[in-house]
Amino acid sequence: MKKITIALIMVISLIAPIQTMAESVTQNGTIIEPLEQNIEQIIDEITSEPRPINSDAIQNVKEYISEYFGNLGYDNIEYQKFEYNDENNENAIRHSSQADVFLASTAEDAIVDGIGENIIVTKNSSIDTTKNLIISAHYDSAEDSVGANDNGSGVAAVLELARILKDTEIPYNIKFILFSGEEKYMLGSRWYVGKLTEDERKQIIGVINIDTIAEKSDLGYMAMIEGNKRPDNAEYDDEGLKKLAELNKNSMSELFTPSDRFFLTMAINSDHYPFALVNIPAVSIVQDWQDGLNVNDSSDVKENMDIQRIVEVIDQVMEVLPTIN
């Protein structure tokens, strides 16, 4: 999760029968649930060192994630490379509310300062292939952090969801996307959204992005959204932001807020934001940070995490998936 200074692997049998989507996913009569041992192993594998965009470490993590999906039996795996220029990126950040600037390539006709790569894994539906739900997380970290919570927790949640859902029939396609460059103001998700055609945008029924959910805490989670409904008399104190969030709520945020563990808020500092800029319903699930979060530094390690919080978010996503159409 980008700070804003303002404010061995468990493999599923490939011959398992197809299950229809229900409140609980079952296989051979056994309910498939998130496994803490899987989650811990994923985090161990990807957080041995910092993995900023354009580093050898993030390339190693990309290969691990790709192998994980392959071992689960997914064969529709794509890699979306993108280039960036740091100076142009700073300019784009200053114009973050302008879709044509913020979603454009920063390295076009400019020096290439680095390369990132998004991982896109598609689970195709045999019921309706015109609808796509995106479940995402960013797999890069800040330069000075191994990023166990930010965002090893989100990566682990997405990979576990992919394992649980592998042989389940769902009435829409799911694209599991691991974005790179979130710590450089959502470079990967900006590139992804900026390259979508109008028809491709219309086929996205929603985005559930998972980012920084597992630091030890008794607090719940934020359903972070963004939108362009801002009355002239809008106020930006706590109460005003609550009203703006309610005004801008979308079909994805509405899935989570009925739970008393989730509350709605406006924010632009995660990978839901580029989608929101082009009016695609998107939400980022992030833990409540009212007590502050130890991210983007050396304190963001597995020892400071509560793995059960990742299980809690996975369970909540599994609960809402059957309600999406």
Side-chain angles (χ1 to χ4, degrees), residues 14-66:
L14 302 182
I15 59 173
I18 296 295
Q19 304 292 331
T20 57
M21 192 67 191
E23 285 192 10
S24 297
V25 174
T26 61
Q27 186 180 95
N28 298 327
T30 302
I31 295 176
I32 307 175
E33 298 177 330
L35 298 176
E36 291 191 20
Q37 65 199 50
N38 281 12
I39 294 169
E40 290 196 36
Q41 181 156 0
I42 292 166
I43 292 169
D44 285 339
E45 290 286 347
I46 69 175
T47 63
S48 61
E49 60 183 320
R51 54 188 187 283
I53 188 173
N54 201 46
S55 66
D56 290 339
I58 199 170
Q59 180 66 21
N60 294 336
V61 172
K62 187 205 84 170
E63 292 172 1
Y64 169 80
I65 291 171
S66 301

Side-chain angles (χ1 to χ4, degrees), residues 2-209:
K2 181 62 187 174
K3 275 188 175 179
I4 292 183
T5 55
I6 304 172
L8 251 215
I9 300 171
M10 182 174 181
V11 179
I12 297 179
S13 169
L14 302 182
I15 59 173
I18 296 295
Q19 304 292 331
T20 57
M21 192 67 191
E23 285 192 10
S24 297
V25 174
T26 61
Q27 186 180 95
N28 298 327
T30 302
I31 295 176
I32 307 175
E33 298 177 330
L35 298 176
E36 291 191 20
Q37 65 199 50
N38 281 12
I39 294 169
E40 290 196 36
Q41 181 156 0
I42 292 166
I43 292 169
D44 285 339
E45 290 286 347
I46 69 175
T47 63
S48 61
E49 60 183 320
R51 54 188 187 283
I53 188 173
N54 201 46
S55 66
D56 290 339
I58 199 170
Q59 180 66 21
N60 294 336
V61 172
K62 187 205 84 170
E63 292 172 1
Y64 169 80
I65 291 171
S66 301
E67 183 178 0
Y68 193 101
F69 276 107
N71 286 339
L72 290 178
Y74 288 93
D75 55 11
N76 192 342
I77 306 176
E78 305 170 66
Y79 305 98
Q80 184 183 49
K81 284 189 176 181
F82 59 90
E83 300 172 338
Y84 61 89
N85 171 275
D86 285 326
E87 183 177 349
N88 287 348
N89 190 41
E90 290 297 323
N91 178 64
I93 293 166
R94 289 191 292 270
H95 298 84
S96 61
S97 63
Q98 298 174 229
D100 58 336
V101 177
F102 197 57
L103 304 182
S105 168
T106 67
E108 190 170 344
D109 300 323
I111 295 171
V112 175
D113 289 319
I115 296 173
E117 198 162 9
N118 297 327
I119 308 168
I120 307 164
V121 181
T122 303
K123 171 181 169 55
N124 288 313
S125 171
S126 63
I127 298 173
D128 190 340
T129 59
T130 66
K131 296 178 180 179
N132 296 312
L133 175 72
I134 292 173
I135 301 178
S136 63
H138 74 88
Y139 71 106
D140 62 310
S141 75
E143 292 187 359
D144 299 321
S145 174
V146 299
N149 190 26
D150 183 12
N151 187 31
S153 63
V155 173
V158 171
L159 296 189
E160 266 297 88
L161 283 163
R163 180 186 68 85
I164 293 167
L165 293 169
K166 171 62 179 66
D167 295 299
T168 303
E169 183 59 85
I170 301 175
Y172 45 80
N173 305 320
I174 295 181
K175 289 185 178 292
F176 300 103
I177 305 182
L178 286 307
F179 291 116
S180 183
E182 191 270 353
E183 299 294 349
K184 275 186 173 287
Y185 286 84
M186 296 82 73
L187 270 174
S189 54
R190 284 158 53 192
W191 181 272
Y192 180 84
V193 175
K195 293 300 178 182
L196 292 171
T197 66
E198 189 61 34
D199 284 343
E200 287 171 332
R201 291 179 183 181
K202 290 177 180 178
Q203 289 179 340
I204 299 174
I205 57 177
V207 179
I208 300 173
N209 183 63

Side-chain angles (χ1 to χ4, degrees), residues 265-298:
T265 189
M266 298 276 281
I268 67 170
N269 57 324
S270 194
D271 286 314
H272 67 289
Y273 180 58
F275 294 93
L277 269 182
V278 295
N279 300 311
I280 295 172
V283 62
S284 280
I285 303 303
V286 181
Q287 71 182 92
D288 188 341
W289 61 37
Q290 66 174 278
D291 291 342
L293 288 178
N294 296 310
V295 296
N296 300 154
D297 59 32
S298 61

